[in-house]
Amino acid sequence: MAAGGSYSIVEYFGGDSGYRCGYCKNEKGNFSHGMWSHTMTVQDYQDLIDRGWRRSGKYVYKPVMNKTCCPQYTIRCHALDFQPSKSHKKILKKVTKFLSKGEMPVGQSDGCDGLFKEIRGFLEPLASSLQRTVAMAAGIFLSGEQMDSAFGEGGYVPTLEPMKIQQAECPILPSNTEINRDTRPASAETSRDEQTSPTGPRPVPKPGVGADPSRPQCRKAKELRKERRLQKEQQRWQDESSLTGPNPAPVNLASNQPKTIEDFIADSLQDDPLHRLEVRLVRSAPPSPQFKATFNASYQVYKLYQMTIHHDPPDKPSESQFKRFLCDSPLEAETSPDGPDGGYGSFHQQYWLDGYIVAVGVIDILPSCVSSVYFYYHPDFASLSLGSYSALREIAFTRQLQKQSPKLCYYYLGFYIHSCPKMRYKGQYRPSDLLCPETYVWTPIERCIPRLDISAYARLNEDTKAGDAGALKDLGRVLVLHRRTVMPYSVYARKRKGSSDEREVEQYASLVGQTSTERVLLYRP
C-alpha cells in the first residue's frame, strides 16, 4: 500500500499456453505469466520488475524462463558509473554533427533502431482472452465506456498523404522531409550557384585554382578545441601559481579525464546550430495538458514508425492501439520529498527538432530507476541511430534525477536476450547486471555471458546455496479483493468454501513474492 493509502489491484491470468515468439518465430514457444493491473503504485512496480516482471500498457507479464524458447533476463545499467564506449561516442558525435552542420549519415541505422521493442505486439496473441476475462471480472473498476476505450480498435485508417498541421503549437513533421537543408528562414535572393537538375537543386562548383599554397592548411575543429582546453588549463595553473608559489608541472586534466555523456550532449548545444534539438518530459498517465496538446503529433510519428520500420499495415497502428500500448499505464502519479521534482510515474520524453516532434521515448520513473518502455522515431532520421542515442540520453537523465533523489541510480533497459544476437546490444551499456531468474539477485553481466554462451537458460547467481529471499512463506496472508472488501486469502477461503483457486493463487504469490502479496490486492470474483 502506498503512503497515500492506495492499493495496487491486479488480476492474474496464469501462463500455461504457448504463443508465437517474436524473436525466433517459434509458433508455440513463447511462455509467460501475465496479469492485468487496474492500478499500481510505483514501489509495487519497482518490486515486480526486480522479480522479472515487465509492463506493456496495463498488462504486466513475466517470461517462464526455464520453458520459453528465448529466455529474457531483466537488465539494469549503473548510470552513475557509466562511461560511453567507442561506438557510443561515434553515435553522440554523429548526432552533434547533424545538429551543427546538417550532415546526415548515409546508410542504415546501427541495428538498435527499435530499442526496447521486445514488448511490441505482446498483447496481440492474448487480446481476445484478455478482453473476455477482464470484461467479465473488472466491471467494478471500469465502466462500459472505459472498457470500449481500453479494447476497441476504432475505425481510423491512416493515410500516407502529407499530414496537415492540426495544432499550431505542435506541428507534425511529414514523411520524406528534406532534413539536410537549413530550416532557418532563407534570404529573398536565390544563389546563382544553385541550378536545377532532374533530381532537384544541385550546387555548381565555383571556378578557381584550388587552395592557396601560401596560406596555412585548415586545422580540424577537434584539434582547435583541444588546444583551447590546454590553454585554459595552463592559464589556470599559472594563476594558481602566482597565489600559492611554485608547484609541480600541471597535469593535463583534459587528456586524463574521459568525456562524460553530459560533455558530449553539451557539445551539441552550440550558440547557433543549424538544427535545434530539445528533449521535453511530459506526463502521460494521467495525461498532462502538454501531453494532450501534442498527442496527435506524437501519434503520427508512431504510425509512420510502425509502418516504415516494422512494416505494419496502415490499419494496424490505430490511435486506440497507440493509447493502449504506449499511453495507458497502471502507475499512479506520486511525489515524495526526496523524489524527483516532476514526481514518479509514466512519462513521454519528446525529442523536438526545429519545432517538430521527431522521436518519443516512453519511460517510467520509479523509486530506484528510470525504466525504458519503448522508443520510436520519424523514419527519415533512421541513419542517426536514434535508438542508441535515446538510451544514452536516458542514462544522462537518470544521472540528473539522482541528484534530486539519491536512491534513483539505475537505468533499466527492459530484457536482455542472449539467444537472440540482435538483442545483445543492451549488454554494451556497462557496468550492467542481469537478474538471476531463480534467486532474483543481480549479477554483473561479465560473469553471466560465459554461462549464457553454454545454455540459453541459466541460473546466474554463483552461490549454489542461495535461494529466493522473497519466496512465498504464508499463503494465508496474501491480500485479495472480494466484493469490494480487502481480506487475507485465509479469510476469503473460509468464505468461499470449496473454492478451487488455491493452486492459482499460490502460483501468483510465488511469482510476485511474499512482500508484494501483502501489499498488492489480487482480485477474486
Side-chain angles (χ1 to χ4, degrees), residues 75-83 261 395 398-399 409-413 429-434 442-446:
I75 181 172
R76 72 178 185 184
C77 170
H78 296 251
L80 302 185
D81 299 322
F82 174 80
Q83 284 292 338
I261 311 177
I395 291 175
T398 305
R399 292 153 67 113
C409 57
Y410 296 106
Y411 174 60
Y412 284 50
L413 296 93
Y429 298 87
R430 299 190 181 187
S432 58
D433 305 318
L434 297 185
W442 294 101
T443 305
I445 192 171
E446 294 86 354

Side-chain angles (χ1 to χ4, degrees), residues 440-506:
Y440 304 108
V441 171
W442 294 101
T443 305
I445 192 171
E446 294 86 354
R447 301 211 298 263
C448 300
I449 297 301
R451 295 171 180 252
L452 297 177
D453 283 338
I454 298 173
S455 173
Y457 172 77
R459 173 192 168 103
L460 303 179
N461 191 341
E462 297 173 344
D463 184 355
T464 57
K465 297 181 180 179
D468 177 10
L472 176 66
K473 297 178 179 63
D474 188 350
L475 183 64
R477 294 169 60 183
V478 174
L479 289 183
V480 301
L481 179 65
H482 175 59
R483 294 183 178 179
R484 297 178 178 269
T485 303
V486 179
M487 63 186 73
Y489 180 72
S490 58
V491 176
Y492 167 79
R494 289 197 298 268
K495 286 179 174 289
R496 296 289 301 266
K497 293 181 180 179
S499 176
S500 59
D501 65 352
E502 181 174 336
R503 181 179 177 184
E504 179 181 301
V505 175
E506 186 174 5

Side-chain angles (χ1 to χ4, degrees), residues 20-32:
R20 185 175 186 273
C21 177
Y23 307 105
C24 67
K25 312 306 178 184
N26 187 319
E27 292 297 329
K28 296 290 183 178
N30 179 14
F31 290 87
S32 64

Side-chain angles (χ1 to χ4, degrees), residues 408-423:
L408 205 162
C409 57
Y410 296 106
Y411 174 60
Y412 284 50
L413 296 93
F415 287 133
Y416 173 83
I417 309 172
H418 193 73
S419 58
C420 181
K422 290 185 178 180
M423 299 304 294

